[in-house]
Amino acid sequence: MTLARDPSTAAQAPQAVVLQGGEDMVFPPGDIYSDEPPLETDLHRDQIDLLIRLLRWLWQDRQDFYVSGNITIYYSPNQLKSEDFRGPDFFVVLGTERRSRKSWVVWEEGGKYPNIIIELLSESTAQTDRGLKKQLYQDTFRTPDYFWFDPNTLEFQGYHLLDGKYHELEPNERGWLWSHQLELYLGIQDQQLRFFTPGGQLVPTPEETAQAEHQRNDKLAAKLRELGVDPDDL
């Protein structure tokens, strides 16, 4: 949700503070990790975490993508971290190495920008997400898929880049929107934004997968008992 930052906060040197006993406590430089503001509500944080976990679980066998959220993307043509940066709530970069990063630095990543971005609307960011950021992601990032979702009002909208301009996506009969980049649908389920397969199946969390497996085992055990077979003897 980053909107602006004082350039003086970038690439700061370690600072020493003198404690009462005369000892020096040295703090690390402020540019080690992505400098993002706090999320506005638990709903926003939980939604970001959910989307990241779902995609990592679904693509657990893939090593050619990076998914993250609420960390800074640096894109200055001058290769300066003190200018030109934004912090999307959720984004995915395809065709890159799957590994942990402190931030996404475009000039260190072969010039790659996100293939898909999702912003979570709030009272303080909605206008920027619908306007300034939409323009930035269209004209500078050239991000093919852009969506926004409001965890409170459930407002949900999406765009696909075509001929250099964002075109609003038409929802299907279930109200889902298709992500060309992920080859998945995005839709609202139980007041949360979720992924769905091209065939219409909900992409489950690891916990939901385990629960479904447990229920299948219980049904199988019950059927075996109906047939006079003790499943514990198998």
Side-chain angles (χ1 to χ4, degrees):
M1 297 180 186
T2 304
L3 301 181
R5 185 177 60 182
D6 184 349
S8 65
T9 63
Q12 294 176 347
Q15 296 180 346
V17 176
V18 179
L19 303 179
Q20 284 186 341
E23 301 174 354
D24 288 347
M25 177 176 288
V26 178
F27 291 91
D31 64 337
I32 291 181
Y33 291 100
S34 176
D35 184 14
E36 290 306 299
L39 296 172
E40 296 208 2
T41 68
D42 288 342
L43 288 176
H44 289 75
R45 181 199 62 224
D46 293 344
Q47 178 65 79
I48 293 172
D49 290 345
L50 175 62
L51 292 173
I52 293 172
R53 292 177 64 242
L54 283 170
L55 200 63
R56 286 176 175 170
W57 174 249
L58 179 65
W59 289 354
Q60 57 188 290
D61 296 327
R62 291 181 55 170
Q63 301 299 322
D64 62 346
F65 73 99
Y66 176 69
V67 57
S68 191
N70 202 42
I71 71 165
T72 305
I73 295 176
Y74 296 100
Y75 60 96
S76 165
N78 299 315
Q79 299 189 4
L80 296 174
K81 290 187 177 181
S82 58
E83 61 184 26
D84 296 337
F85 51 88
R86 280 293 182 269
D89 291 321
F90 172 88
F91 68 93
V92 181
V93 183
L94 302 176
T96 190
E97 182 182 1
R98 183 177 181 176
R99 59 179 175 83
S100 178
R101 293 168 172 85
K102 299 171 184 176
S103 58
W104 185 265
V105 185
V106 169
W107 60 87
E108 294 178 358
E109 301 285 354
K112 287 183 176 292
Y113 286 86
N115 293 76
I116 173 176
I117 291 176
I118 301 175
E119 293 286 6
L120 302 182
L121 304 184
S122 65
E123 290 185 5
S124 64
T125 67
Q127 184 175 355
T128 300
D129 292 334
R130 297 189 191 106
L132 186 149
K133 282 192 175 182
K134 178 171 174 280
Q135 196 74 32
L136 174 71
Y137 299 154
Q138 171 188 274
D139 297 339
T140 302
F141 282 29
R142 316 293 289 172
T143 293
D145 290 347
Y146 176 47
F147 300 85
W148 65 62
F149 173 66
D150 190 323
N152 291 298
T153 67
L154 305 186
E155 176 186 341
F156 177 44
Q157 202 158 320
Y159 297 85
H160 179 65
L161 193 68
L162 184 63
D163 296 328
K165 298 294 182 183
Y166 274 143
H167 295 261
E168 186 173 348
L169 293 169
E170 291 292 332
N172 67 6
E173 66 279 2
R174 299 184 181 183
W176 302 347
L177 300 178
W178 177 250
S179 168
H180 294 73
Q181 296 296 297
L182 299 183
E183 297 186 329
L184 295 169
Y185 284 105
L186 286 90
I188 300 171
Q189 172 94 359
D190 297 328
Q191 298 188 315
Q192 290 182 311
L193 191 62
R194 298 289 298 262
F195 296 122
F196 298 85
T197 68
Q201 299 298 312
L202 177 71
V203 175
T205 64
E207 294 80 10
E208 290 168 342
T209 301
Q211 183 180 15
E213 182 66 25
H214 181 71
Q215 291 174 346
R216 283 193 294 268
N217 290 338
D218 285 348
K219 288 181 180 180
L220 177 60
K223 186 63 176 180
L224 288 173
R225 290 189 181 98
E226 289 179 2
L227 299 174
V229 178
D230 187 345
D232 293 332
D233 292 338
L234 299 178

